[in-house]
Amino acid sequence: MEHLISLKKWSPEKIRMVLDLAKDVKVDPRKYSDAMSRKTLLMIFEKPSLRTRLSFEAGMTQMGGHAIYYHTGNSPMGSGKETIRDSVKTASRFVDVIMARLFKHEDLLEMAEYATVPVINALTDDSHPCQILADLQAIEEKKGTLAGLKLAFIGDGFNNVTHSLMYGGTKMGMHVSVGSPSGAAYSPRADVVADCEGFAVASGGSISVTDDPIEAIKNADVVYTDSWMSYHIPKDQETARVAKFMPYQINAELMAHAKPDAIFMNCLPANRGCEQTAEVIDGPQSIVFDEAENRLHAQKAVILTLCGAA
Ligand code: CP
Ligand code: NVA
């Protein structure tokens, strides 16, 4: 049985297969309208969501199945009354596939170990693979390719989306460049950088990390940023973090160092005036809503693949 825990574990061939399926699902959704007939997806959430919840639920409906929204705040698991392993062993008797958005990645690993159905990572402190599959689909749609493109991530480097982009980008032959403040709390994890160096050697891509935002964004084909205040970051850190990250804000001046036809991406939710200006996210280079739409198609492809229903 296969799970989607992190793109670190997925081969480039597997990623390619899912991207090709996502493309087909998007072009011809009716072909898949009964593919999950009478099947149930359990969606476990410890954190808020708009896109992930709606796209997974709509995706199951469109494929003839059903999704259960389950917030742990009101559950035996969330209150500590029932262990993760007992919860997912039980849930596996009822449902066909589980997705979970959790604080701790270790908890997701425990779910995958004890579930007897496929488990999908819908965001943890470590990674957000579903987002990056949708992003890669969007980049390929706009640029016609992935390999050889320069993808610049600017902002919070010590971040689930950043880490997954690094994995996905380097596996697919992209030149991934991260521009973030120096220091372990702001820049990508050393083990992720080391893994990506290996993936880049195999794919012909590259990985670089710098605290100079201009160097990071220079000649980029794709410019990506994410919230400076991820769901798990306490509100009392906001003032200090905004001050720390402000030199990394994607504004028209910084964007001018990318290629003139560069696309701008943000996984959303976005905060105008923080990680990017309104001028950039609402401007002609922004593809953020196409990117969001692809969550639907890419996740359908993930579900179909893991459930053997493609
Ligand atoms: N990008 C993303 O995962 O959005 P949500 O937090 O709204 O699900
Ligand atoms: N890095 C963000 C992504 C939100 C989709 C967070 O973890 O909140």
Side-chain angles (χ1 to χ4, degrees):
M1 195 186 40
E2 206 182 358
H3 306 292
L4 173 54
I5 301 301
S6 168
L7 293 181
K8 174 180 168 180
K9 302 276 183 196
W10 271 26
S11 67
E13 293 74 28
K14 183 96 201 168
I15 296 173
R16 169 49 50 207
M17 207 192 79
V18 168
L19 290 177
D20 289 347
L21 180 57
K23 189 174 172 184
D24 196 52
V25 162
K26 185 169 182 174
V27 171
D28 193 1
R30 287 188 185 194
K31 200 162 129 190
Y32 302 91
S33 60
D34 290 320
M36 293 299 290
S37 178
R38 301 193 183 277
K39 303 280 187 207
T40 302
L41 166 72
L42 171 62
M43 309 190 294
I44 301 173
F45 281 92
E46 284 183 345
K47 299 181 188 180
S49 169
L50 174 75
R51 282 143 289 272
T52 304
R53 192 252 165 111
L54 299 189
S55 56
F56 267 105
E57 188 162 339
M60 281 301 285
T61 305
Q62 291 172 17
M63 295 193 293
H66 175 69
I68 298 172
Y69 174 73
Y70 191 75
H71 197 281
T72 54
N74 184 27
S75 78
M77 192 173 86
S79 66
K81 204 166 171 55
E82 186 155 22
T83 61
I84 287 178
R85 63 189 67 179
D86 285 354
S87 303
V88 296
K89 278 183 181 178
T90 306
S92 298
R93 303 290 178 106
F94 304 135
V95 306
D96 303 281
V97 49
I98 296 173
M99 59 128 280
R101 166 166 288 195
L102 306 178
F103 285 97
K104 293 198 293 198
H105 195 69
E106 299 77 56
D107 289 347
L108 185 79
L109 294 174
E110 189 175 343
M111 281 187 179
E113 189 179 344
Y114 290 95
T116 53
V117 297
V119 172
I120 300 170
N121 178 355
L123 184 149
T124 64
D125 56 358
D126 173 83
S127 47
H128 195 5
C130 292
Q131 178 66 53
I132 275 55
L133 290 170
D135 296 338
L136 293 176
Q137 184 181 6
I139 295 167
E140 202 163 53
E141 284 168 358
K142 303 292 175 191
K143 295 287 176 190
T145 185
L146 295 174
L149 294 180
K150 177 172 177 178
L151 187 166
F153 180 93
I154 312 290
D156 185 3
F158 185 73
N159 181 28
N160 42 22
V161 168
T162 319
H163 291 149
S164 288
L165 263 182
M166 291 166 67
Y167 289 139
T170 54
K171 287 208 172 196
M172 301 314 280
M174 301 179 84
H175 300 290
V176 181
S177 156
V178 179
S180 57
S182 51
Y186 308 108
S187 57
R189 268 189 1 234
D191 64 289
V192 179
V193 178
D195 285 335
C196 289
E197 280 166 356
F199 302 148
V201 168
S203 71
S206 64
I207 180 76
S208 61
V209 179
T210 172
D211 62 2
D212 179 348
I214 296 177
E215 184 189 325
I217 203 172
K218 203 167 178 48
N219 292 325
D221 300 282
V222 182
V223 176
Y224 200 121
T225 191
D226 184 14
S227 170
W228 298 339
M229 288 297 294
S230 283
Y231 290 125
H232 62 282
I233 297 186
K235 183 84 180 149
D236 64 5
Q237 291 184 19
E238 188 164 13
T239 308
R241 286 178 69 87
V242 168
K244 190 80 186 175
F245 285 117
M246 198 46 89
Y248 299 82
Q249 180 188 67
I250 312 287
N251 48 39
E253 196 186 335
L254 189 56
M255 198 68 193
H257 294 277
K259 285 193 181 149
D261 64 348
I263 51 175
F264 171 79
M265 303 178 75
N266 182 329
C267 62
L268 306 176
N271 191 346
R272 289 165 177 77
C274 279
E275 72 273 9
Q276 74 284 289
T277 55
E279 181 182 28
V280 169
I281 195 169
D282 299 320
Q285 288 169 281
S286 173
I287 65 154
V288 296
F289 298 110
D290 296 326
E291 178 187 1
E293 180 192 323
N294 283 352
R295 296 293 302 279
L296 177 71
H297 312 300
Q299 288 158 192
K300 280 182 177 176
V302 169
I303 292 168
L304 291 167
T305 301
L306 297 184
C307 294

